[in-house]
Amino acid sequence: MIFGILVTKKRYGAADFGTVGLMVAGLGIFMHADAKTSAVFQPLGIIMLTISLLCDGAISNLSEALMNQYDVGQDEFIFRL
């Protein structure tokens, strides 16, 4: 969502921000519950997960921006990769 705002200058409604807030809260609760158990969180794994999520957000928004800029459909965009 952050990449959508920064890269493609998208506008999101209150429902979208609410959905993201609920997802973040749920993930926080999940991570907090797991931290109290005997599970071991590897810093490298958390870093890799964070990088993966950032790249996923960047790629999807950049792809959408390119498709809009060159007036290309999703099928043609995938085919020409």
Side-chain angles (χ1 to χ4, degrees):
M1 194 171 201
I2 292 171
F3 281 108
I5 293 169
L6 295 177
V7 174
T8 61
K9 308 291 189 245
K10 279 180 138 181
R11 302 278 183 198
Y12 294 101
D16 294 324
F17 283 109
T19 301
V20 170
L22 288 173
M23 290 174 64
V24 169
L27 182 60
I29 291 168
F30 178 75
M31 294 294 287
H32 182 67
D34 276 352
K36 294 194 181 255
T37 63
S38 63
V40 176
F41 288 103
Q42 296 293 326
L44 179 62
I46 294 171
I47 291 169
M48 290 172 65
L49 179 62
T50 302
I51 290 171
S52 172
L53 291 171
L54 289 172
C55 289
D56 183 49
I59 293 295
S60 62
N61 283 295
L62 288 173
S63 298
E64 185 177 345
L66 286 172
M67 287 189 291
N68 289 335
Q69 180 180 354
Y70 294 108
D71 194 32
V72 176
Q74 190 173 20
D75 293 334
E76 185 177 356
F77 181 79
I78 297 295
F79 178 73
R80 301 231 181 246
L81 284 177

